[in-house]
Amino acid sequence: MPLIPGAEPMRHEGSEVGVLLCHGFTGSPQSLRPWARHLADAGYTVSLPLLPGHGTRWEDLAATGWQDWYATVDRELRLLRDSCAQVFVAGLSMGGALALRLAARHGDAVDGVAVVNPACTFPRLSGYALPVARHLVRSTKGITDDIAKEGAHELGYDRVPLHAAHSLREFFGVVRGELPEVTQPLLLLHSRTDHVVPPADSALILSRVSSEDVTETLLERSYHVATLDHDAERVFADSEGFFSRIAAGKAARDGA
């Protein structure tokens, strides 16, 4: 199935400090491409993969599950570790959950985590109905384009396949159980107003991770897709500063 124009993955070879960016559920690399380009221009090696089932049509997503999405970012992380001395993981929404699981599972192979409006729970009522509803209804309305900035657009599906949504719900349960294993420096940016992921998800993550170096940033002018919204430049600048600080500190310790 041909890719939707703009949904292509991105890879940039830069310094020995790499950043893996993970996009969200039903979205595509387009939502993070400006972030990836900012980091590439700053000299980082950047990987922005396309998750299985995304970037084509929603019916393709219905045939995938969280194990497929996670396997893709896990593979990209390993490739970055082969070429970079330090590697950071980052993500938006479900991509934030993927980044957090990478940190939990890979330990010292991940030097830091930056997440934007990370998701780790599922709406209670719809979540309870999913195990049955997914066998009766193929899809429901989409969740893309929650952006305050006029004229901005997120490239993603206008339908959510319920089989994939059920798998996402299971994945969030896995991630919640592994949050205490996240010990790396953490930058968490979340919007005051988000119509897709409740602020309670960020609060839950902050309460459960074991990271000692934690920075929380509130985004006042953006909705869910903050990487394409009014606060995008702040997301880019704050994350670049975070990566630079952690990388320089590790380099200094290694050289001591």
Side-chain angles (χ1 to χ4, degrees):
M1 180 59 60
L3 287 182
I4 300 170
E8 302 84 4
M10 174 181 164
R11 176 73 185 231
H12 172 79
E13 299 297 334
S15 70
E16 290 190 350
V17 179
V19 182
L20 170 58
L21 296 173
C22 310
H23 71 75
F25 183 64
T26 76
S28 76
Q30 177 261 354
S31 62
L32 300 186
R33 200 176 308 280
W35 192 6
R37 287 175 175 159
H38 177 95
L39 294 171
D41 289 344
Y44 293 90
T45 290
V46 180
S47 175
L48 172 54
L50 174 67
L51 300 179
H54 292 76
T56 53
R57 56 178 192 158
W58 69 262
E59 290 89 346
D60 296 327
L61 181 58
T64 68
W66 74 261
Q67 295 89 344
D68 304 304
W69 314 325
Y70 180 75
T72 295
V73 296
D74 184 87
R75 181 175 63 251
E76 290 298 316
L77 173 62
R78 294 173 190 274
L79 290 173
L80 279 177
R81 290 301 313 185
D82 288 341
S83 60
C84 295
Q86 298 184 53
V87 175
F88 296 91
V89 294
L92 167 69
S93 194
M94 178 190 76
L98 289 168
L100 287 163
R101 185 164 202 254
L102 287 171
R105 300 277 289 183
H106 285 272
D108 291 342
V110 171
D111 293 284
V113 189
V115 291
V116 180
N117 291 323
C120 68
T121 67
F122 209 87
R124 182 169 298 179
L125 291 178
S126 55
Y128 286 150
L130 267 179
V132 174
R134 66 193 176 106
H135 297 293
L136 304 174
V137 181
R138 293 187 68 195
S139 68
T140 188
K141 65 179 180 179
I143 55 173
T144 58
D145 262 347
D146 188 35
I147 304 173
K149 186 177 181 180
E150 185 176 354
H153 171 62
E154 180 187 15
L155 187 63
Y157 297 146
D158 60 1
R159 304 294 297 175
V160 175
L162 293 192
H163 275 293
H166 181 260
S167 184
L168 178 65
R169 179 176 179 248
E170 292 180 336
F171 176 58
F172 286 159
V174 171
V175 172
R176 290 195 302 274
E178 294 179 343
L179 285 174
E181 298 174 43
V182 177
T183 60
Q184 298 89 339
L186 171 65
L187 170 64
L188 191 152
L189 306 102
H190 62 98
S191 300
R192 182 179 295 279
T193 303
D194 187 330
H195 304 98
V196 177
V197 174
D201 280 30
S202 290
L204 178 62
I205 290 167
L206 291 171
S207 71
R208 291 195 179 179
V209 297
S210 300
S211 307
E212 295 183 358
D213 182 341
V214 176
T215 303
E216 178 185 9
T217 299
L218 184 62
L219 305 175
E220 299 280 2
R221 303 173 57 234
S222 299
Y223 293 163
H224 183 62
V225 192
T227 50
L228 298 177
D229 216 326
H230 293 294
D231 293 301
E233 292 299 326
R234 180 167 189 186
V235 171
F236 307 160
D238 283 12
S239 61
E240 180 191 344
F242 172 75
F243 299 146
S244 177
R245 174 174 66 82
I246 302 302
K250 182 178 180 182
R253 290 192 299 273
D254 290 346

